[in-house]
């Protein structure tokens, strides 16, 4: 039995992780679950999976569910609660599926305890890639990617030598507004933006896909996970989302990973690695798919991708600030307070005011994250 904790169990990745666990009930034991504020769903999950520890966002929420929990389940809350679920259970694998850089300290805590990480929370690597990867290396901890593109690359690199890699290419669906011109983006609504053509995901990442910030975060995530220079990481528009990403090698071979867009496949691979088990996801038929399409990315049309490459290459605190400004801007857009195109303007303006710090320590990262959020909020 593999013991697992899930941070963000009530979200899109969290619930799909529990789908995978449900499919292989005898093979997994859930040790801890952390949620934000969806207490009804968390209580259902507790009934079904009997974790020893759970956590919610606030003390009020924790107090309000304490009496509904079975005797064997303890409840925690807030930042410390998240760290408790990440680091202080018997779990050998922790799925990090909270959204945003709030996942950083709990991911570091889990690594510190030697737990394998099923990494969905890409903002963590973007914000502090050098610290997370260094700590994982020091502790001999595996970071198993759950993001579909990175899981694809991980599978393509299986058994390959690092020096043989020429280029990795992340595919991008193009998001909700793939075929819109810049002019057509002026008046788009939150509702329009939340309609992703291929993937059903949490709200924040769906907006990030429409702005192409998501692909930018993924380029930085790939840089840290695979130690590849930014000039050797490409992005290719692929509307069908069937090729999840691919690697070119120096003998000019290309290895790709394909499948229907279903997050349960990369989630399950992180849970069962290095084994492959039967999956609840529907199988891909290439004969039915018929044709696959590809297009070069237009960095004028998607300026956030250009900004992400620039921040990645700059290194230091630039990616932290890019991510923090985006988190604030997307939250505001989702509340209907700013327009869609204002998101990229805010990111660019916050970056403009930022003085980059190289090789930042955790406190410097947290400080710059906080300042970027303040400036973004004011803008
Ligand atoms: P969701 O918004 O669906 O879920 C976020 C989860 O985080 C929820 O369980 C939420 O709890 C929890 N949460 C929010 N605030 C807090 C808090 N203060 N303390 C503890 N938990 C909190 O996000 P997704 O599942 O879509 O994304 C999760 C991560 O995975 C992101 O980093 C995303 O980029 C990445 N990812 C997602 C993919 C997808 O298909 N969805 C694909 C690839 C990567 P509650 O709902 O109870 O408030
Ligand atoms: Mg992805």
């Amino acid at each position: 039995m593999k013991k697992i904790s899930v941070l963000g169990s009530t979200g899109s990745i969290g619930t799909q992780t529990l789908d995978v666990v449900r499919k292989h009930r005898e093979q997994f034991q859930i040790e801890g679950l952390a949620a934000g504020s969806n207490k009804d769903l968390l209580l259902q999950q507790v009934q079904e999976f009997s974790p020893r520890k759970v956590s919610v966002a606030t003390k009020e929420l924790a107090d309000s569910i304490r009496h509904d929990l079975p005797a064997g389940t303890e409840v925690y809350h807030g930042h410390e609660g998240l760290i408790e679920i990440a680091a202080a259970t018997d779990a050998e694998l922790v799925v990090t599926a909270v959204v945003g850089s709030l996942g950083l300290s709990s991911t570091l805590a889990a690594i510190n305890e030697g737990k394998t990480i099923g990494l969905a929370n890409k903002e963590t690597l973007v914000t502090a890639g050098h610290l997370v990867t260094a700590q994982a290396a020091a502790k001999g901890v595996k970071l198993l990617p759950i993001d579909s593109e990175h899981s694809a690359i991980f599978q393509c690199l299986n058994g390959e030598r690092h020096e043989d890699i020429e280029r990795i290419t992340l595919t991008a669906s193009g998001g909700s507004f793939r075929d819109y011109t810049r002019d057509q983006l002026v008046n788009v609504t939150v509702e329009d933006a939340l309609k992703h053509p291929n993937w059903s995901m949490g709200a924040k990442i769906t907006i990030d896909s429409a702005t192409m910030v998501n692909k930018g975060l993924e380029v930085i995530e790939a840089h840290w996970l695979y130690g590849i220079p930014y000039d050797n990481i490409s992005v290719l528009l692929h509307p069908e989302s069937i090729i999840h990403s691919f690697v070119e090698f120096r003998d000019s071979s290309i290895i790709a990973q394909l499948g229907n867009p279903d997050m349960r496949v990369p989630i399950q691979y992180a849970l069962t690695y290095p084994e492959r088990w039967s999956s609840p996801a529907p199988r891909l038929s290439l004969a039915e798919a018929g044709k696959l399409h590809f297009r070069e990315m237009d960095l004028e049309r998607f300026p956030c991708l250009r900004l992400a490459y620039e921040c990645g290459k700059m290194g230091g605190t630039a990616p932290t600030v890019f991510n923090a400004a985006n988190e604030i801007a997307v939250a505001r857009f989702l509340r209907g307070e700013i327009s869609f195109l204002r998101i990229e303007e805010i990111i660019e303006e916050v970056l403009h005011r930022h003085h980059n710090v190289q090789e930042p320590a955790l406190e410097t990262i947290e400080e710059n994250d906080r300042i970027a959020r303040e400036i973004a909020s004011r803008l």
Side-chain angles (χ1 to χ4, degrees):
M1 269 237 221
K2 194 177 248 181
K3 295 178 175 173
I4 295 180
S5 286
V6 184
L7 310 181
S9 65
T10 47
S12 164
I13 294 290
T15 51
Q16 293 181 85
T17 301
L18 294 177
D19 274 351
V20 169
V21 169
R22 192 175 287 122
K23 159 107 179 148
H24 307 283
R25 205 62 197 87
E26 325 69 53
Q27 269 78 24
F28 295 114
Q29 181 181 317
I30 296 293
E31 287 288 315
L33 297 175
S37 53
N38 189 346
K39 60 179 181 178
D40 294 340
L41 181 54
L42 179 66
L43 285 171
Q44 280 177 32
Q45 294 176 343
V46 169
Q47 286 296 331
E48 184 175 358
F49 296 102
S50 310
R52 289 179 220 287
K53 294 183 180 180
V54 297
S55 174
V56 284
T58 63
K59 179 165 189 312
E60 292 68 49
L61 281 163
D63 290 341
S64 75
I65 63 167
R66 188 163 279 118
H67 298 297
D68 299 321
L69 293 171
T73 304
E74 296 165 20
V75 61
Y76 298 83
H77 67 270
H79 219 71
E80 288 71 36
L82 210 49
I83 290 176
E84 184 78 23
I85 305 302
T89 75
D90 289 340
E92 52 205 283
L93 185 140
V94 176
V95 174
T96 63
V98 294
V99 62
S101 64
L102 102 104
L104 177 58
S105 49
S106 49
T107 304
L108 287 171
I111 294 172
N112 210 31
E113 290 303 313
K115 299 184 186 304
T116 303
I117 305 295
L119 186 97
N121 181 223
K122 64 191 88 185
E123 294 91 341
T124 301
L125 269 191
V126 170
T127 295
H130 65 300
L131 299 180
V132 174
T133 51
Q135 191 168 338
K139 291 278 173 183
V141 157
K142 284 197 189 71
L143 303 174
L144 299 174
I146 284 182
D147 213 346
S148 58
E149 296 77 359
H150 305 74
S151 176
I153 302 287
F154 182 67
Q155 295 177 60
C156 297
L157 291 180
N158 213 349
E160 302 292 346
R161 299 187 311 169
H162 193 265
E163 61 265 39
D164 294 338
I165 305 169
E166 197 99 307
R167 168 167 303 280
I168 66 182
T169 299
L170 307 179
T171 52
S173 69
S176 326
F177 304 132
R178 180 178 58 222
D179 301 316
Y180 284 43
T181 62
R182 301 272 314 161
D183 287 344
Q184 287 174 307
L185 290 176
V186 173
N187 290 318
V188 295
T189 64
V190 174
E191 212 191 358
D192 300 331
L194 285 176
K195 285 185 205 132
H196 194 284
N198 304 349
W199 297 93
S200 159
M201 310 182 284
K204 192 247 175 192
I205 185 175
T206 306
I207 304 304
D208 286 351
S209 300
T211 56
M212 212 47 77
V213 163
N214 181 51
K215 210 50 58 180
L217 298 175
E218 290 183 353
V219 167
I220 300 172
E221 184 186 10
H223 168 79
W224 287 114
L225 279 175
Y226 303 114
I228 308 285
Y230 286 98
D231 286 336
N232 299 48
I233 304 175
S234 305
V235 176
L236 186 66
L237 200 80
H238 168 42
E240 291 90 356
S241 297
I242 282 180
I243 294 188
H244 297 312
S245 280
F246 56 89
V247 182
E248 293 171 66
F249 295 91
R250 66 165 150 203
D251 64 354
S252 74
S253 285
I254 295 180
I255 300 186
Q257 189 257 349
L258 289 72
N260 281 317
D262 189 319
M263 284 308 296
R264 291 172 301 180
V265 177
I267 292 170
Q268 179 170 299
Y269 192 58
L271 264 47
T272 66
Y273 174 81
E275 297 176 12
R276 292 180 184 274
W277 297 359
S278 71
S279 161
R283 247 162 235 280
L284 168 66
S285 157
L286 279 176
E288 267 170 42
K291 283 183 184 166
L292 301 180
H293 297 84
F294 305 95
R295 249 182 355 219
E296 218 50 88
M297 288 304 302
D298 176 352
L299 295 186
E300 302 278 310
R301 165 64 182 78
F302 294 111
C304 291
L305 182 58
R306 171 181 53 78
L307 282 173
Y309 266 104
E310 286 169 12
C311 289
K313 286 180 185 175
M314 259 186 273
T317 44
T320 308
V321 168
F322 173 83
N323 177 65
N326 177 62
E327 284 190 30
I328 295 296
V330 171
R332 287 288 174 98
F333 172 70
L334 284 169
R335 292 205 296 269
E337 294 168 6
I338 59 169
S339 69
F340 181 76
L341 286 176
R342 188 76 189 125
I343 298 174
E344 63 191 43
E345 288 170 9
I346 288 176
I347 300 173
E348 192 146 27
E349 284 175 49
V350 175
L351 281 168
H352 221 74
R353 297 178 195 199
H354 174 60
H355 301 286
N356 202 20
V357 183
Q358 290 297 333
E359 293 291 318
L362 186 57
E363 304 74 60
T364 311
I365 288 173
E366 287 169 347
E367 174 73 358
N368 280 276
D369 183 278
R370 191 182 55 71
I371 294 170
R373 281 166 200 269
E374 268 172 32
I375 299 173
S377 299
R378 266 185 272 128
L379 288 171

